[in-house]
Every structure is written in structure tokens, then in C-alpha cells.
Amino acid sequence: MSLAGLGSSYWRLSSFLDSHSGRLRATRQKACDASRYPYRAPRAVMPDWARIRADTPAAEKVLHFNNAGSALPTQQVTKAQHAYLELEATTGGYEALIQEAEAMEKPYTALAQLLNCHPDEIAITTSSTASWFQVFGGLNLKAGDRILTSVSEYGSNFLAYLQAIKRQQVQVEIIPEDAEGDVDIAALEKLVAAGASKPALIALTHIPTSSGRVYTHAAAAGAIAQREGIPYLLDATQSIGQMPIDVQQLQCDYLTSTGRKFLRAPRGTGLLYASRAAMAKAEPAMVDVHGAVWSGRHDYKLVRSAQRYELYEMSYAAKMGLGVAAEYVLEIGIEAIWERVQHISGMLRQQLQELQGVTVQDRGRLLCGIVSFTMEGKRPEDVKQELREKNINVSISPANSTLLDFSQRGLTKVLRASVHYYNTEEEVHRFIKTLKSL
């Protein structure tokens, strides 16, 4: 069975990207400079949100406000996965990969266009955390090295810092936030200059898992990192797919994200952007025969692209789905998606604030599709379960997901309702009405 059996919707998405990705593939073997980064054409017409919602039949069965956990996939994504699994079952796993080799390039070209980088700077992994660890573990940190990170750093990342403190005796310093809950750039400048040596790493989480806040100063932090020659690792797990992300503007050396959240790709997929300049300075934490060549008894050579960060074994059906999901974002237009997400989440926040006993916990100069809140006299676990019984999905963010931030704000748990472009105004009204009834 060929993936051609997916039907017109899949190939409509593919043909959309082909008009751009042909140019990307043509430059893949050339030196990378700013003039070769893919161009994002402006959209003159707003998307037909009703038609787009129809691509997600499950949206009519469940009110899904858990997109920051794992979004509902489109039927194009699930059909691509199923077709590839059928191909593996009928022709063999290795043979299926050879047959669909060109389609397996789509995640690289589509994500490169989405992030404004070169396809050779993209790696496909199994999760955002796997991507992040491949970078962090390859930095060869030593005793006394300083890591600068944020108040809202994700729990898994901070656990890695704690291990590095224990194993390598590094130092971890927290960058304060300003009055609006953003990275305090003046404080960051002082921290960079304060030590006997430059920090070994600046690492930020662009959007925390537990709040709608966006670190708008992430690009300013990148400018400092580039000026001082400090590696800059940005966790954009909750960013990719809901808002425009430009790695050139952010000036990050590395950026990590997942497929299952706002990209609406299959679980078990992740991505990593690694700039060519960064790849020249550090290796992955580990490599296998996919990312390197064993060239002699005591020698190996890394592949030239970011695929050095990949490991050979993964779900290729999931990887196929990731490519389809990324193309789908490009077809709609990330700017239109971001406008829609802000509209729906803004409506939700406003109506939550009008409910007695409900406190919206988001703060910041720019808010996204994650809406965090607490309800007086209600355990988050009970609210989540009662909503689930009514076919409404939300999530809970515990303190250990962003311990520093929650400790600073006196929080233990928050309810997290995360919306996306396929959600509707009517669903917001239904959600609020249901909360009132609890």
C-alpha cells in the first residue's frame, strides 16, 4: 500500500509545501546564510475555521481544552500514520522507509520553514525532553561552570541541573523576573558580568507549562548570549504551533519542542533546532550509527547536519505524521493561528475572571493559549474529574512542574485549560456554563 491512498487532503498539504521546499532542498548542500532562509509569504485571506475544524472529527465528540498536554490530531495526520503502518506491515519496515524516503524529508523542510532556519539545522527526536538532553548532555560541563536559567524553568530541565550540580559541581543561578513576570534583562546583564568567567549556558523556557505567560525578552536574552559567546538553549515546547517562532530573531543556538502539543502531531515525536555555528562547537550527548560514522578503531565522524542528534530507532509512522502536521500549520499560516489562539484564550480568561471564586493565575505582558486558574473551595483533581464526566478535557499543573515559580507565587496546583485554533467561542461558553454548575 502506498501513502497515495491518503487522498486529496494529504496531497493538497504536500503540494502546498512542495512549492517552497523545492527551493529549500536545493540549498540544503550549500553554505547557510541569512539570504537563504525560507520566506514566509503573508496571508491575505483569513482561514475558514469551520472547514478547518471539520478536519478534526473528534472535536465534535469532546470539548478538548488540553492542547498544552496533547492536542487532538487532524484526520490527515492519523491517516498518514495508519497508511505508513500498513505499508510497513505489507512490505517490511526497512523497505517502507526506502519507498517513502522523500516523504520522510517533509518534517525537516516544513519545520525549517516554520522556524526560519535551514533543514540541515533540524533534528527529529522522540520528545522535547530527549532533544533538550541531547544538547545539555553534550556541553561537557565541569566544576564551577555557571548555568543561568529562569524562574519558570520546566521541571525536567531543572532536574538535569540538579544532577549536574551533584555529578559535575556546576553552579545554577536564577535570573530574576521583572515586575511584569518577564526575564529581567538588566539582572541578566549583571549575572553575566558577575562571575570570574562567562556562564557556560543560558537556558530559558519560552512559555512555562503551568501558565499562559510568554517570555517576550527571550530575544533580548539571545542577543546577550550571542554578544558574549554563551550557548543559548531555549525550550519552546509550548510555543511551536501556536505562535510565530523565528530562531534568527530569537538568536538561540538551540531550540527544542514536541510534536504532540500545539503542532498537533503524534505522541512520541520531538524536534531540535541546532544552528550550524553551535554544531561546530559541541557534540550531542550520545550518537549512534545514524548520527555518526565509525571511521576507524579510535575515530568517528559526525554527520554534518543536525541529524547527528537523532537516534536511528523511532516510530517512522509518527515521524510521517509530524511532517503532515507541520505542513498543516504552514497551510493555515502561523500568524493566523496565533491571532485565533489569542482571541479564544482572551475570551476564556475574561469570562473566567467574571466567575465568583475563580482566580486566573496567568500574568505577563503577553499571554498565549494556556489559561491557568484556581477555584476557591475546589480541589483541582475534583474539578478535572467532574469536567471529564461531561466530555470536557483540562489538565492540572502541579508545583513540581515549575517549582520555583509556584513557590514564589504561593501556589501548589492550578487547573490548566489550553485552547487552540480549532476550538470555538461556543465551546468557551459551554465551558464557563459547566464550571458554574459544579
Side-chain angles (χ1 to χ4, degrees):
M1 178 180 178
S2 168
L3 290 183
L6 286 175
S8 60
S9 295
Y10 175 78
W11 296 113
R12 173 171 50 84
L13 291 168
S14 298
S15 62
F16 170 83
L17 186 62
D18 283 340
S19 63
H20 304 277
S21 63
R23 174 165 52 85
L24 291 174
R25 278 194 289 270
T27 63
R28 195 167 187 181
Q29 303 302 322
K30 299 178 182 178
C32 186
D33 60 52
S35 67
R36 294 193 179 100
Y37 289 122
Y39 169 69
R40 287 196 192 96
R43 284 193 78 86
V45 180
M46 288 300 293
D48 181 344
W49 297 116
R51 179 190 63 78
I52 290 169
R53 181 177 168 87
D55 284 336
T56 309
E60 301 305 323
K61 301 177 181 179
V62 61
L63 196 165
H64 193 71
F65 280 4
N66 193 16
N67 295 284
S70 186
L72 297 179
T74 65
Q75 58 188 348
Q76 287 90 337
V77 168
T78 55
K79 285 180 179 179
Q81 282 185 277
H82 294 164
Y84 190 81
L85 288 172
E86 179 66 20
L87 186 64
E88 284 188 327
T90 55
T91 66
Y94 281 25
E95 292 73 18
L97 184 58
I98 293 170
Q99 182 172 323
E100 296 298 337
E102 183 176 354
M104 285 299 174
E105 289 295 305
K106 293 296 177 70
Y108 302 97
T109 53
L111 290 169
Q113 185 174 351
L114 190 61
L115 300 182
N116 192 24
C117 66
H118 196 282
D120 278 356
E121 295 173 306
I122 296 291
I124 307 302
T125 67
T126 56
S127 70
S128 183
T129 298
S131 299
W132 195 95
F133 283 172
Q134 275 286 68
V135 173
F136 184 74
L139 294 177
N140 292 323
L141 299 171
K142 59 186 183 299
D145 279 349
R146 301 162 59 217
I147 299 170
L148 306 186
T149 191
S150 61
V151 174
S152 294
E153 189 72 343
Y154 182 53
S156 293
N157 303 348
F158 212 93
L159 288 173
Y161 303 149
L162 295 178
Q163 285 190 310
I165 291 172
K166 183 178 180 179
R167 296 171 177 174
Q168 296 147 292
Q169 292 76 54
V170 303
Q171 301 174 24
V172 177
E173 301 171 32
I174 308 304
I175 308 164
E177 293 180 341
D178 61 22
E180 293 190 75
D182 214 323
V183 176
D184 189 326
I185 294 301
L188 174 58
E189 291 275 19
K190 291 179 181 178
L191 284 172
V192 168
S197 59
K198 290 180 182 179
L201 176 68
I202 296 175
L204 302 179
T205 296
H206 190 234
I207 297 175
T209 187
S210 53
S211 169
R213 167 180 45 191
V214 180
Y215 271 158
T216 62
H217 288 168
I224 294 172
Q226 290 298 315
R227 184 193 72 208
E228 299 293 335
I230 303 168
Y232 181 30
L233 170 56
L234 188 63
D235 183 335
T237 301
Q238 298 290 5
S239 309
I240 308 300
Q242 71 159 317
M243 66 181 296
I245 293 293
D246 186 330
V247 294
Q248 310 309 318
Q249 186 264 339
L250 289 166
Q251 299 190 62
C252 53
D253 295 292
Y254 308 97
L255 180 143
T256 64
S257 193
T258 188
R260 75 176 191 270
K261 298 178 185 289
F262 291 96
L263 269 176
R264 305 181 66 196
R267 296 201 69 170
T269 58
L271 64 103
L272 166 66
Y273 158 77
S275 73
R276 288 185 169 182
M279 284 190 281
K281 298 175 184 177
E283 295 190 357
M286 63 177 293
V287 294
D288 66 7
V289 294
H290 176 74
V293 175
W294 189 12
S295 55
R297 183 176 178 85
H298 302 290
D299 297 302
Y300 63 91
K301 294 180 180 179
L302 295 170
V303 300
R304 296 183 63 183
S305 73
Q307 291 185 37
R308 65 180 63 183
Y309 291 93
E310 300 178 358
L311 299 179
Y312 178 72
E313 193 55 47
M314 70 173 302
S315 168
Y316 287 93
K319 187 175 182 178
M320 180 72 73
L322 174 62
V324 175
E327 289 179 335
Y328 194 88
V329 172
L330 292 173
E331 183 189 23
I332 296 172
I334 190 61
E335 290 81 8
I337 288 172
W338 180 225
E339 182 178 337
R340 174 73 173 176
V341 167
Q342 288 185 297
H343 166 64
I344 298 295
S345 61
M347 174 184 292
L348 177 57
R349 282 192 190 90
Q350 180 180 353
Q351 295 192 23
L352 282 171
Q353 288 169 342
E354 295 170 357
L355 292 182
Q356 185 175 359
V358 172
T359 301
V360 175
Q361 298 293 347
D362 301 327
R363 66 190 184 100
R365 57 174 57 88
L366 179 64
L367 301 178
C368 68
I370 299 175
V371 181
S372 62
F373 64 99
T374 51
M375 297 182 68
E376 184 179 350
K378 288 278 190 179
R379 295 174 65 247
E381 295 86 351
D382 295 336
V383 175
K384 177 184 174 182
Q385 181 58 35
E386 290 182 61
L387 290 172
R388 185 68 193 96
E389 291 170 359
K390 300 178 185 299
N391 286 329
I392 298 175
N393 295 338
V394 296
S395 184
I396 297 171
S397 290
N400 62 11
S401 64
T402 48
L403 186 62
L404 299 183
D405 177 48
F406 271 36
S407 298
Q408 186 171 281
R409 294 199 281 154
L411 297 171
T412 56
K413 295 177 182 178
V414 297
L415 286 155
R416 186 182 71 181
S418 46
V419 304
H420 214 340
Y421 58 84
Y422 64 87
N423 293 124
T424 66
E425 294 87 346
E426 187 278 330
E427 286 183 315
V428 171
H429 296 318
R430 178 185 160 198
F431 183 76
I432 296 298
K433 183 178 180 179
T434 304
L435 281 183
K436 288 181 180 179
S437 71
L438 299 183

